[in-house]
Amino acid sequence: RDLAEIAFQAFTNPFPFKLHNMPSNLSPYNWYAAILRGESPPLPDLDSNDSEEALWQTGLENSVLALTSYKISNSETLSSLPQTYREQLHKYSLNAAATEMLRQHDLKSTLELFTQAGLRFLLIKGTPLAYSLYPEPHLRERCDTDILFSNKEDSEAAWEILEELGYERRNTTTGEFVGYQFSCSREVSHGFHQALDIHNRLNDYQFFADTFDFDEYIKILSPPRKFHLHHAPSVVYMPCCMPACTVSPISQIGRAHV
């Protein structure tokens, strides 16, 4: 299993799997996997700077550094780690939390504009997972926010709003049976870019695109999960697991925590 699945199950399974007969030394990958399962694994052999760098890069590539910091914050494992790694991990976690605060504030105001314009939408994939299944949303690292609109007309109306806010639309393939989404981004503050994926169908793959329309999706949720982005005055409907599982095969470890 990849680290993404382990990270997801760490918060959804009340009886996490325990690894018995743990070897005295683990690869960086297996060390992170054990940490995410709630275990206290022995530290990998870090006799050289290269080995410590490998430990860091493994966590970075799998998007589990912030989650690792959370899991070991009050454990003996933290004190056993090299000082340079601890300092890096602390700075990384603070940055992840600050980035999420910027993302959240900007996203909230944008969603309010969509609501005021009478557009129907659902937040899907990583964002609802972050806000519903993780102790803090920044622990579920992600690079963008996916928004599903009820139809193409609404998604284009949303783009008009986004364009006025300064978003730039990336070049995407278009056509009735080619694609049902586009990406856009803008710089929000101090080098932080808010990236949005705007969908008018569940998926670009025709099989999934034709499986449900927007109204059927609402019925399937029956009722949809409701919760607030912090300090947001309006309720946001955020289905999570199904889109995250069906959008595309996970081609890179840690691509999504599901």
Side-chain angles (χ1 to χ4, degrees):
R1 297 182 299 170
D2 57 44
L3 294 187
E5 181 183 356
I6 294 169
F8 179 76
Q9 291 190 356
F11 294 111
T12 58
N13 185 356
F15 303 103
F17 172 78
K18 295 296 184 180
L19 182 64
H20 299 285
N21 300 320
M22 185 179 295
S24 59
N25 190 39
L26 300 171
S27 68
Y29 183 98
N30 288 329
W31 183 80
Y32 281 108
I35 289 292
L36 297 182
R37 287 193 296 263
E39 300 166 2
S40 298
L43 188 65
D45 185 3
L46 300 177
D47 291 338
S48 68
N49 290 333
D50 290 341
S51 296
E52 186 175 332
E53 178 64 19
L55 182 67
W56 179 262
Q57 286 299 322
T58 299
L60 185 65
E61 292 169 3
N62 289 281
S63 303
V64 294
L65 288 175
L67 187 56
T68 297
S69 179
Y70 174 84
K71 297 287 285 187
I72 67 175
S73 59
N74 296 313
S75 71
E76 296 180 358
T77 302
L78 182 62
S79 60
S80 69
L81 292 167
Q83 181 177 352
T84 51
Y85 179 90
R86 295 200 307 269
E87 292 174 350
Q88 276 187 292
L89 194 63
H90 179 65
K91 291 178 181 178
Y92 185 94
S93 298
L94 290 178
N95 183 68
T99 298
E100 183 57 38
M101 290 177 65
L102 287 171
R103 178 186 287 116
Q104 178 191 106
H105 177 76
D106 183 70
L107 180 62
K108 178 180 75 72
S109 61
T110 301
L111 297 182
E112 288 173 348
L113 292 176
F114 292 161
T115 300
Q116 292 169 13
L119 303 179
R120 295 196 302 158
F121 61 88
L122 296 167
L123 298 185
I124 61 175
K125 298 170 64 176
T127 299
L129 288 173
Y131 279 85
S132 61
L133 297 178
Y134 286 75
E136 296 293 340
H138 73 276
L139 301 180
R140 202 286 182 186
E141 299 181 42
R142 59 199 187 281
C143 61
D144 57 22
T145 298
D146 292 84
I147 309 176
L148 174 65
F149 286 87
S150 57
N151 52 55
K152 185 175 182 179
E153 290 71 24
D154 277 6
S155 69
E156 291 300 331
W159 166 242
E160 293 180 4
I161 294 172
L162 294 170
E163 190 173 27
E164 291 182 0
L165 294 174
Y167 278 84
E168 295 182 358
R169 188 165 176 169
R170 302 171 190 168
N171 292 329
T172 53
T173 304
T174 59
E176 184 177 357
F177 301 107
V178 177
Y180 303 102
Q181 64 177 320
F182 64 85
S183 300
C184 59
S185 65
R186 71 162 180 165
E187 185 173 9
V188 176
S189 175
H190 303 295
F192 167 68
H193 287 76
Q194 178 82 284
L196 304 178
D197 275 356
I198 305 300
H199 304 252
N200 61 74
R201 301 289 288 274
L202 179 63
N203 191 273
D204 273 350
Y205 292 102
Q206 200 64 42
F207 174 82
F208 292 121
D210 291 338
T211 301
F212 306 107
D213 63 24
F214 191 87
D215 291 325
E216 287 176 319
Y217 199 20
I218 293 294
K219 292 178 182 179
I220 291 171
L221 293 172
S222 64
R225 287 173 176 254
K226 300 180 182 181
F227 61 91
H228 295 266
L229 290 174
H230 297 316
H231 311 300
S234 58
V235 173
V236 178
Y237 295 77
M238 306 178 93
C240 51
C241 292
M242 182 178 174
C245 292
T246 61
V247 163
S248 64
I250 295 177
S251 59
Q252 180 180 354
I253 294 173
R255 182 174 177 180
H257 287 175
V258 62

